[in-house]
Amino acid sequence: MRDDEENRRITLAEVAQKAGVSLSTVSKVLNGRQDVSPGTRGKVEALLEAHSYRRTTRAAREAPLIELVFHELDSVWSMELIRGVENLAKAHQASVVLTESGTRHAPADDWIEGALQRRPIGVVLVFSSLPDAVKRQLAARSIPFVIIDPAGDPEPDVPSVGSANWAGGVAATRHLVDLGHRRIGIITGPEDVLCSLARLDGYRSALNMAGLESDPELVRFGDFHVDGGYARALELLALPDRPTAIFAGSDLQALGVLEAARVRGLRVPEDLSVVGYDDVMIARWSSPALTTVHQPLRQMGEEAVQMLLRLRAGEPAVTRLELATSLVVRNSTAPPPAGPAGLPERLSGR
């Protein structure tokens, strides 16, 4: 019983005594100061976590803040995620602070110092993973976090919201197969990002289900941006037996494909069909309007905040939520042009 009582009522002075450091050192660790040795920081954080120390502040009660962290803020799809996070934050009288840090895999090492000084009530991160040391630092200060994870496969202990990337790849490719296309190219995202590989797997699965072989010559890895889509599309369209359709792993890449087709003198969709991914606003205003896979980005942001608030309140919460994707058919896809024998390709067997 004494141990239970101590766990419930641990004070910072007691943490300092157990760690063999001063009270000011414990305070520095709590506030994310970097002028503490790694060994001392680890010892203090371990004690805070072991005794379930929970810190509340007047600032947190008066001005609740949710931190949203991206590796880049200049992409169109990031705006959809921001709107979703802001929608739910506003509904709960919380403000949102945006931070740009790190790579697509994890935030930069120095991010956590600023976050701890800002003392948010929770953090939403748009990354594939989070370093163990950062998880411990957030847990020691009772700051819950959720990853919005379009990349695919988070660790079991990481609360996350994602979408059905494999199913999206299947839907896009099956649509093109059903139109009669047999030479279908794909420009997925970076090779080291799981969502890129999941969409590629969906593409291959759809071809396999249709009895078609996947031709490695028709597979390209892009960067999710317009320039990457344009460059990879030019490569595909320069092939002696070029594709009659291209599935782009993002709407931005699809815009690059449209420009490459124009440069090559091809009409979309008469000569080349194009499918994008994400269904961001520009997809419906491109020329022609883009057939694409709808990824519920705004809803992903909303669900991440909902999960965050449940975790903060200590309520039971699903720690992995995967939202459905769906195909949106517009004007950039059509049956293929005539095959070599003057027949539609669906009949010529190409």
Side-chain angles (χ1 to χ4, degrees):
M1 176 65 79
R2 262 176 110 177
D3 285 344
D4 291 342
E5 198 74 5
E6 183 180 11
N7 284 342
R8 285 196 295 273
R9 299 184 179 181
I10 191 77
T11 66
L12 293 186
E14 289 170 321
V15 170
Q17 183 180 20
K18 287 176 179 289
V21 299
S22 67
L23 185 58
S24 65
T25 297
V26 174
S27 178
K28 286 179 181 180
V29 172
L30 273 171
N31 289 303
R33 294 269 298 276
Q34 294 302 296
D35 52 342
V36 180
S37 71
T40 298
R41 180 184 300 281
K43 187 187 301 184
V44 172
E45 287 175 346
L47 283 167
L48 291 170
E49 185 174 1
H51 291 278
S52 301
Y53 178 79
R54 296 294 179 262
R55 176 176 182 171
T56 58
T57 66
R58 287 187 60 195
R61 289 193 295 270
E62 292 171 0
L65 183 72
I66 293 174
E67 182 150 351
L68 176 58
V69 191
F70 287 87
H71 80 278
E72 60 177 8
L73 290 172
D74 58 352
S75 62
V76 178
W77 63 265
S78 67
M79 295 306 301
E80 290 297 304
L81 290 175
I82 291 169
R83 288 189 181 99
V85 169
E86 286 192 326
N87 285 347
L88 256 291
K90 185 177 181 181
H92 290 85
Q93 290 78 52
S95 299
V96 177
V97 59
L98 298 176
T99 302
E100 187 173 24
S101 177
T103 68
R104 65 175 65 94
H105 297 290
D109 293 339
D110 60 357
W111 163 74
I112 188 65
E113 179 181 0
L116 296 179
Q117 290 175 351
R118 287 185 287 276
R119 298 177 185 172
I121 62 171
V123 181
V124 176
L125 304 108
V126 188
F127 294 99
S128 304
S129 62
L130 200 60
D132 289 340
V134 174
K135 294 178 194 175
R136 289 193 296 269
Q137 285 177 286
L138 292 173
R141 291 153 187 80
S142 305
I143 301 175
F145 69 91
V146 174
I147 286 181
I148 295 181
D149 181 38
D153 189 21
E155 298 168 10
D157 65 331
V158 174
S160 64
V161 178
S163 66
N165 289 290
W166 180 85
V170 169
T173 310
R174 181 178 288 167
H175 170 66
L176 293 169
V177 169
D178 289 345
L179 286 172
H181 293 276
R182 296 299 177 262
R183 294 283 292 172
I184 302 171
I186 180 172
I187 305 170
T188 189
E191 196 168 1
D192 61 345
V193 175
L194 288 175
C195 68
S196 305
L197 301 178
R199 293 168 196 177
L200 177 58
D201 284 344
Y203 158 86
R204 288 171 172 157
S205 296
L207 292 178
N208 184 60
M209 286 185 280
L212 302 172
E213 290 188 11
S214 175
D215 184 350
E217 190 176 46
L218 297 179
V219 176
R220 294 291 188 278
F221 289 95
D223 58 5
F224 289 140
H225 295 289
V226 176
D227 289 347
Y230 175 74
R232 302 291 84 77
L234 286 179
E235 295 172 3
L236 290 171
L237 296 178
L239 293 173
D241 189 10
R242 69 165 180 83
T244 60
I246 294 177
F247 167 35
S250 74
D251 290 339
L252 291 178
Q253 288 188 153
L255 292 183
V257 176
L258 294 180
E259 178 59 16
R262 187 192 67 79
V263 168
R264 295 279 297 179
L266 299 174
R267 299 166 300 163
V268 177
E270 293 86 354
D271 303 315
L272 179 73
S273 286
V274 179
V275 178
Y277 202 104
D278 287 331
D279 193 26
V280 294
M281 183 69 72
I282 57 173
R284 67 198 70 174
W285 296 111
S286 67
S287 182
L290 194 62
T291 294
T292 186
V293 175
H294 176 76
Q295 184 173 207
L297 296 166
R298 193 173 302 194
Q299 186 184 355
M300 288 164 68
E302 293 173 350
E303 292 289 352
V305 174
Q306 197 72 263
M307 186 182 293
L308 193 72
L309 295 174
R310 289 195 187 106
L311 290 169
R312 179 171 174 77
E315 299 174 5
V318 176
T319 55
R320 173 61 182 174
L321 182 62
E322 186 168 275
L323 303 180
T325 52
S326 59
L327 183 71
V328 179
V329 179
R330 296 194 178 101
N331 302 327
S332 65
T333 50
L343 296 173
E345 290 190 7
R346 68 176 76 188
L347 300 178
S348 69
R350 285 182 62 200

